[in-house]
Structures are given as structure tokens and as C-alpha cells.
């Protein structure tokens, strides 16, 4: 009975979380091969921007205000190499709406360059947690990521239990465990 | 002990692949799962590398920045001289005119600070922390920084491919069990819709 319940929980968890498993596996491949770095930006569009900021205003305060005015809510980075007294450049990260936003202080304009739609970049933008995020959608995503991580631990232990119940597979199973642990330990030791 | 139900050859082979892949790659699954929990709860597991660094080496050293002013190449030269080649980050610290190299060895990070004007080099080591070991392994990816890093990158590819294989073989094995198709189908649909809805608002 216990074994059957374990198998069912193992399976139904896998079926529900299957999209996240695929997202994180494919995004790992994309990151490992730097596929996300190939995406450039589409030609810029510029708009007048009337909000002004006092000299010396914190860059993050400027960034959050500009992004909020553009209806872009989510994580971002300030591109300090492209930011100075005359402009602030913000990289807004999102799987589908990523963009580089430049606020041109003197001209009172914002320049919006949307990231080219590429699968690798979108996947890498999804390869994130977010349970501590200030953004509700990211907290929900973080919750799913917690569920995935906890399920991975469950899959390991339920998988071990299910393997142990099939005696003919013990020999090859032990060999697999030993090879895996050996390769892991050796590689980590030399990193 | 349970006996395996008699089953056609294909599902049995798929089940075996699903299981043996899991047994072999178990260390990586454990590392990625635990480090994901740590990284997802940054406020709970706070703490940077700067805590409790211990000086390992403090000595005279000379190395010149090449005319192309490539900090990364300079850092690689210094790391090679120290026998510490591998994945690293580098920055130029204006405040005291120092080159700072963060050698990213999971759980055994080193900070190398070189003041070229003074000809002084200091290597500091961080104490082992399980949290940093796990997150260090999690974020380690990409080919070419060193032979070991490339071997790890090959393994990252293997684990990623295995995750895809587990998902697809799991779907196949579920589909072979006719009695679970209804509830399984509903579960797959619920997962896919939830994931798609979240992706749309992120």
C-alpha cells in the first residue's frame, strides 16, 4: 500500500511540475552554452517623458519611477556603464517583455529598446527564484520554484525507495550510485 | 519486497532508464534542489563572502597590465602564477588602486588583491560554508575556464538532458497506465496552465 501511494505521489508531482522541470532544464542548457547572450535589442523607440528628478536622486528611485510609468513591474538592473549625470540606463528583465530603458535627463525623453524575442533569453529570464521578491507575480513563481525543489528531494528519496523494492535492480543500481558519487566527488575536488 | 508487474518490453526499458539515470545523477539532483531552496530564500540564508576572510598569502609580487588594459587577461596571468586558475570575477578598485580577483571555488572561495603600485599581493580564503558550497555549484556553468570547469559544464549538460528525459519518460510511463489517464491528464493540464499564466505575468 505504502509503495503504491509513494509511486502515485511521485508520478502526480512529476505530471504537475513537468513544465517547470522542462523550463529549468532547457534554461540550464541555454545558460551553459551562453545562448541568451546572443539576443540583441530591437531598434529604439523614444517618447517624451515629463517627470523630472532632482540632481543627486538615487538611481534606483529614478529607475523604479521610470519603469512604473512605463507599466513595467519586475526586477531590473542599472547599467552603470551607460549611466551618468545625463542619462540612466535600466535593464528590465522579463521572459516576454525584457527591455533596455534609457532615461535621457536633459532631453526629457525615454528610449525603449525591446529585447529580440529569443527562446534562450526567455528561458534564462525564467531561471530564477523570487520568494523574497517585492513583486507578487515573482513571489508566486518563487513558490512554484520551492515546490519544484522540494519535489526534487522527494523524487530522490521516493526513487531510492522504489528502486530498493525491486531486488533484481540492486546490482546495477548500486553501480549507478557509486559511479555518480565518484564522478561528482572527483569533479568537485578539482574545481 | 514487491514483484514487478509483468509489462511489455518498451515501458520496462523506459522505466529502467528513468530509474538508473536518477540513481547515477542523484548527487546533482540533491545539490540543485537544496541550493535552489537556499537561493530562493536569500533573506533567510543571507551572508556574503566578505565575512571572516583569512589571509593565506601576503607577499611582494610584480605583474604589469598589458597595453590593451584587459583586466581579465591580467587576472588570468596572476591566477596562473598562483596556481589558482579557474572561474573568477575581476574588478578594479579605485579607492586604493587595487585589482581584486574573486576566484570562485564552490565552498573554498579566494579573494586575491593586487596593488601594482606597491607591488603587494594578498590572497584571502573564506571559511567553508555549506550554503556557499551549494550555491557555488549551482551557479557554476560554462565551458573553458579550466579543465575541471569544462568537465562540470559537460555534467551540467548531462543533468539538464536527464531532466528532460525524466519528464518525457515520466509522461510516457503515465500514459501507459490507462487507469491514471484521467487524473493524470487533469494534473498535466493544471500544471501547464499554472505555469503559462505565471510566465505571462512575469
Amino acid at each position: 500500500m505504502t509503495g503504491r501511494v509513494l509511486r502515485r505521489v511521485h508520478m502526480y508531482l512529476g505530471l504537475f511540475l513537468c513544465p517547470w522541470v522542462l523550463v529549468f532544464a532547457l534554461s540550464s542548457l541555454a545558460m551553459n552554452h551562453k545562448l541568451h547572450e546572443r539576443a540583441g535589442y530591437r531598434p529604439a523607440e523614444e517618447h517624451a517623458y515629463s517627470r523630472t528628478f532632482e540632481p543627486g536622486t538615487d538611481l534606483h528611485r529614478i529607475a523604479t519611477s521610470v519603469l512604473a510609468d512605463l507599466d513595467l513591474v519586475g526586477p531590473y538592473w542599472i547599467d552603470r556603464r551607460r549611466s551618468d549625470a545625463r542619462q540612466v540606463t535600466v535593464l528590465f528583465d522579463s521572459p516576454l517583455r525584457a527591455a533596455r530603458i534609457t532615461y535621457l535627463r536633459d532631453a526629457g525623453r525615454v528610449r525603449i529598446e525591446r529585447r529580440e524575442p529569443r527562446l534562450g533569453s526567455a528561458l534564462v529570464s525564467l531561471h530564477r527564484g523570487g520568494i523574497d521578491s517585492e513583486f507578487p507575480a515573482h513571489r508566486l513563481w518563487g513558490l512554484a520554484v520551492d515546490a519544484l525543489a522540494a519535489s526534487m528531494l522527494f523524487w530522490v528519496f521516493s526513487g531510492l525507495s522504489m528502486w530498493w523494492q525491486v531486488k533484481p535492480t540492486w546490482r546495477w543500481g548500486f553501480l549507478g550510485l557509486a559511479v555518480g558519487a565518484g564522478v561528482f566527488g572527483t569533479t568537485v575536488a578539482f574545481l | 519486497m514487491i514483484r514487478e508487474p509483468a509489462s511489455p518490453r518498451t515501458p520496462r526499458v523506459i522505466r529502467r532508464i528513468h530509474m538508473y539515470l536518477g540513481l547515477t545523477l542523484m548527487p546533482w539532483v540533491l545539490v540543485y534542489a537544496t541550493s535552489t531552496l537556499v537561493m530562493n530564500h536569500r533573506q533567510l540564508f543571507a551572508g556574503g563572502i566578505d565575512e571572516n576572510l583569512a589571509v593565506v598569502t601576503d607577499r611582494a609580487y610584480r605583474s604589469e597590465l598589458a597595453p590593451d588594459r584587459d583586466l581579465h587577461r591580467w587576472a588570468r596571468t596572476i591566477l596562473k602564477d598562483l596556481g589558482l586558475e579557474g572561474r573568477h570575477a575581476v574588478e578594479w578598485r579605485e579607492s586604493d588602486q587595487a585589482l581584486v580577483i574573486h576566484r570562485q571555488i564552490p565552498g573554498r572561495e579566494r579573494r586575491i588583491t593586487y596593488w601594482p603600485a606597491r607591488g603587494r599581493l594578498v590572497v584571502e580564503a573564506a571559511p567553508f560554508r555549506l550554503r556557499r558550497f551549494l550555491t557555488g555549484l549551482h551557479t557554476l556553468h560554462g565551458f573553458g575556464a579550466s579543465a575541471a570547469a569544462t568537465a562540470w559544464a559537460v555534467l551540467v549538460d548531462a543533468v539538464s538532458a536527464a531532466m528532460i528525459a525524466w519528464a518525457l519518460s515520466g509522461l510516457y510511463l503515465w500514459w501507459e497506465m490507462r487507469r491514471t489517464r484521467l487524473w493524470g491528464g487533469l494534473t498535466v493540464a493544471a500544471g501547464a496552465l499554472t505555469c503559462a499564466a505565471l510566465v505571462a505575468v512575469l
Side-chain angles (χ1 to χ4, degrees):
Chain A
M1 180 65 185
T2 314
R4 189 166 179 269
V5 170
L6 206 64
R7 270 202 302 278
R8 287 287 182 272
V9 176
H10 187 102
M11 184 186 78
Y12 283 113
L13 270 178
L15 292 175
F16 184 79
L17 293 169
C18 187
W20 283 273
V21 172
L22 292 173
V23 161
F24 279 90
L26 290 168
S27 55
S28 297
L29 287 170
M31 277 195 280
N32 209 24
H33 294 272
K34 302 188 190 305
L35 297 183
H36 58 299
E37 292 177 5
R38 294 182 190 174
Y41 289 95
R42 287 173 165 176
E45 46 182 283
E46 274 193 26
H47 303 284
Y49 187 73
S50 56
R51 193 190 291 269
T52 56
F53 301 92
E54 292 292 320
T57 306
D58 179 57
L59 290 184
H60 285 284
R61 204 171 144 202
I62 296 174
T64 49
S65 296
V66 171
L67 289 174
D69 289 337
L70 294 171
D71 207 17
L72 296 173
V73 180
Y76 67 88
W77 293 271
I78 291 172
D79 186 345
R80 293 192 183 270
R81 286 179 306 173
R82 294 170 192 264
S83 299
D84 53 30
R86 300 176 63 188
Q87 66 175 49
V88 180
T89 302
V90 180
L91 302 171
F92 176 72
D93 191 26
S94 163
L96 305 175
R97 297 175 299 139
R100 181 165 63 196
I101 314 292
T102 306
Y103 165 50
L104 304 160
R105 283 181 153 175
D106 295 345
R109 300 181 72 78
V110 284
R111 183 187 299 146
I112 304 166
E113 298 163 279
R114 304 202 184 272
R115 190 174 67 192
E116 287 174 343
R118 282 182 186 260
L119 183 62
S121 308
L123 286 166
V124 171
S125 289
L126 287 170
H127 197 112
R128 59 164 65 252
I131 203 93
D132 297 328
S133 171
E134 59 192 290
F135 310 109
H138 288 81
R139 282 203 295 276
L140 279 175
W141 184 258
L143 202 62
V145 170
D146 264 358
L148 177 65
S151 298
M152 284 167 74
L153 293 174
F154 177 80
W155 287 325
V156 165
F157 295 111
S158 56
L160 278 172
S161 166
M162 286 189 277
W163 160 64
W164 194 247
Q165 290 174 50
V166 187
K167 196 171 181 180
T169 64
W170 283 6
R171 181 183 294 180
W172 287 105
F174 274 122
L175 186 67
L177 282 170
V179 168
V183 172
F184 179 84
T186 309
T187 316
V188 168
F190 285 98
L191 281 174
Chain B
M1 192 69 57
I2 60 165
R3 288 188 61 185
E4 278 191 292
S7 59
R9 186 166 173 75
T10 307
R12 190 163 177 268
V13 169
I14 299 280
R15 253 204 311 278
R16 287 287 184 273
I17 293 171
H18 191 95
M19 184 185 75
Y20 287 126
L21 265 181
L23 290 171
T24 308
L25 297 175
M26 198 176 74
W28 286 269
V29 179
L30 287 173
V31 162
Y32 284 117
T34 48
S35 57
T36 297
L37 289 171
V38 169
M39 293 164 81
N40 204 25
H41 294 265
R42 286 188 190 276
Q43 287 174 8
L44 204 62
F45 299 98
I49 187 189
D50 290 338
E51 53 184 311
N52 305 319
L53 282 172
V55 175
V56 179
T57 309
D58 186 344
R59 66 177 171 97
Y61 178 78
R62 285 284 169 203
S63 176
E64 295 293 326
L65 176 61
D68 62 4
R69 304 191 62 78
D70 185 341
L71 290 183
H72 291 279
R73 190 189 302 174
W74 200 14
R76 282 196 297 272
T77 305
I78 294 169
L79 289 174
K80 192 175 180 185
D81 289 347
L82 295 170
L84 284 172
E85 293 147 291
R87 193 182 185 224
H88 62 274
V90 61
E91 61 176 312
W92 177 257
R93 198 165 63 200
E94 283 292 336
S95 59
D96 57 348
Q97 299 289 295
L99 182 77
V100 183
I101 308 166
H102 299 277
R103 174 70 176 90
Q104 298 152 337
I105 314 167
R108 296 173 289 138
E109 294 91 344
R110 296 284 184 277
R111 183 169 70 187
I112 297 110
T113 311
Y114 175 49
W115 293 269
R118 287 187 252 164
R120 180 183 171 210
L121 179 134
V122 170
V123 180
E124 295 163 289
F128 180 82
R129 292 276 184 275
L130 182 61
R131 164 178 53 80
R132 281 208 309 270
F133 173 68
L134 293 169
T135 55
L137 286 177
H138 190 121
T139 54
L140 190 61
H141 64 275
F143 295 76
S146 66
T150 296
W152 183 261
V154 170
L155 291 163
V156 169
D157 272 358
V159 175
S160 305
M163 284 174 72
I164 296 167
W166 284 320
L168 298 181
S169 58
L171 283 170
Y172 174 83
L173 292 169
W174 155 66
W175 191 249
E176 285 296 307
M177 298 181 353
R178 287 178 182 276
R179 278 185 298 177
T180 63
R181 279 189 187 174
L182 175 63
W183 286 106
L186 288 171
T187 310
V188 169
L193 286 172
T194 307
C195 188
L198 279 174
V199 170
V201 295
L202 281 177

